[in-house]
Amino acid sequence: MELYREQHSRIHSTGFTNVFYIVEGNDPDAVSRLGEAAVNSALSRIQINHGFHLKCPSSFEATLKLLRQTTKALQSMLKDVYAIPDNFVGLKGFADMKKCLQLRFPHVSLAMSFEAYDAVSNKSGSLSTGEIYLRMLMTLRGMSADKALTVGNRYQTPTQLINELKNAEDGDKTVEELVISGTCRKIGPALGKRITQFWTAESFTTS
C-alpha cells in the first residue's frame, strides 16, 4: 500500500479528475497470501475513498486494448483543450487553482504539456527535502512510514539526526526509546541499532 499511497499523492498534486487506476493480472497465490478480504478492501478504497475508476484487465493485451479505447474516446470527446502554462504547473496549490479555473470555464478542457506532467508527477522531482529525507529513512529494513515519521518529527533533518547519534553516549538508546506516533510502541532496540549504524557509518561495504 505504500506504493499506492505514493502514487495517489503524486496524482492528487496534478489536479486531475476522472483518474483510471489499472490493476493488471490475476494472481490467486498473491491474493491468498494477502487475504481476499484485505485485497477487496483495498480495491474498494481506491474507488470509494479516492474516487478513482478501477479497471482490472486480465492480461497485458487486455490492458493495451483498454488504453487504445480510452485514447480514442478522449480524442473524440475533447475539442476545446487549453494548456496551462508550464510555469504554473507544480506550484503549491496548483490543484486548487486548476479546480477554480475549471469551475470558471466549465466548457473548456484544461490540460498540461507532457513535460510539465512528467515533472509534477515524477517520483523525486515533486518531493520536498523533508519527503526525500523520510524516503531515505524508509530504505532501512523494518522502517515503516509511521516509524520514519516518528524519527523525522524528532530530528527534522539528517544533520540533526547524525549529530544527535554521534554526540549521545548511547546512540542506539537515543532512537530506540522514541514512541511511534499514534501508538504506545517504541522504535525498539533492533531498529534503533540499525538506524545508528547506518547514519553514523564513515563508509559502506558491499558483498
Side-chain angles (χ1 to χ4, degrees):
M1 287 299 291
E2 291 302 327
L3 176 60
Y4 171 74
R5 291 191 187 98
E6 173 194 308
Q7 291 173 339
H8 172 260
S9 176
R10 286 188 282 121
I11 291 172
H12 180 72
S13 69
T14 65
F16 285 151
T17 55
N18 294 325
V19 175
F20 285 79
Y21 198 85
I22 296 176
V23 179
E24 190 179 79
N26 182 18
D27 188 346
D29 291 336
V31 172
S32 178
R33 287 195 303 271
L34 295 170
E36 187 173 352
V39 172
N40 289 334
S41 176
L43 296 177
S44 296
R45 284 200 300 273
I46 289 174
Q47 300 173 88
I48 298 171
N49 294 356
H50 299 147
F52 290 173
H53 300 287
L54 181 66
K55 298 294 181 180
C56 301
S58 58
S59 65
F60 178 71
E61 290 76 13
T63 300
L64 289 178
K65 182 179 179 180
L66 171 64
L67 293 176
R68 282 197 300 268
Q69 292 173 339
T70 303
T71 300
K72 288 181 180 180
L74 288 173
Q75 288 174 337
S76 63
M77 291 169 53
L78 301 179
K79 301 299 181 182
D80 296 323
V81 181
Y82 292 85
I84 298 173
D86 287 358
N87 57 306
F88 286 101
V89 178
L91 295 176
K92 186 175 182 180
F94 168 72
D96 291 333
M97 180 190 74
K98 183 175 181 294
K99 184 178 180 181
C100 289
L101 286 172
Q102 195 67 77
L103 289 173
R104 186 175 179 182
F105 305 102
H107 303 299
V108 169
S109 297
L110 296 175
M112 63 178 72
S113 68
F114 178 79
E115 290 77 14
Y117 167 75
D118 186 53
V120 76
S121 64
N122 187 274
K123 288 186 177 181
S124 58
S126 59
L127 296 177
S128 66
T129 303
E131 289 170 327
I132 293 174
Y133 171 39
L134 292 178
R135 287 173 180 274
M136 292 172 66
L137 288 169
M138 291 178 64
T139 60
L140 294 176
R141 181 165 53 87
M143 179 70 83
S144 64
D146 290 341
K147 293 175 182 177
L149 283 171
T150 299
V151 176
N153 288 335
R154 177 63 180 83
Y155 308 104
Q156 297 185 2
T157 66
T159 301
Q160 288 183 6
L161 175 59
I162 292 169
N163 288 341
E164 180 70 21
L165 293 174
K166 286 187 174 181
N167 295 329
E169 292 184 6
D170 188 346
D172 296 0
K173 202 78 171 177
T174 300
V175 181
E176 72 179 60
E177 292 296 324
L178 292 177
V179 178
I180 301 170
S181 302
T183 73
C184 297
R185 296 180 291 111
K186 296 182 179 181
I187 293 293
L191 183 55
K193 182 177 181 180
R194 202 171 294 131
I195 294 171
T196 302
Q197 289 177 336
F198 178 82
W199 287 94
T200 59
E202 298 295 335
S203 62
F204 297 92
T205 59
T206 58
S207 56

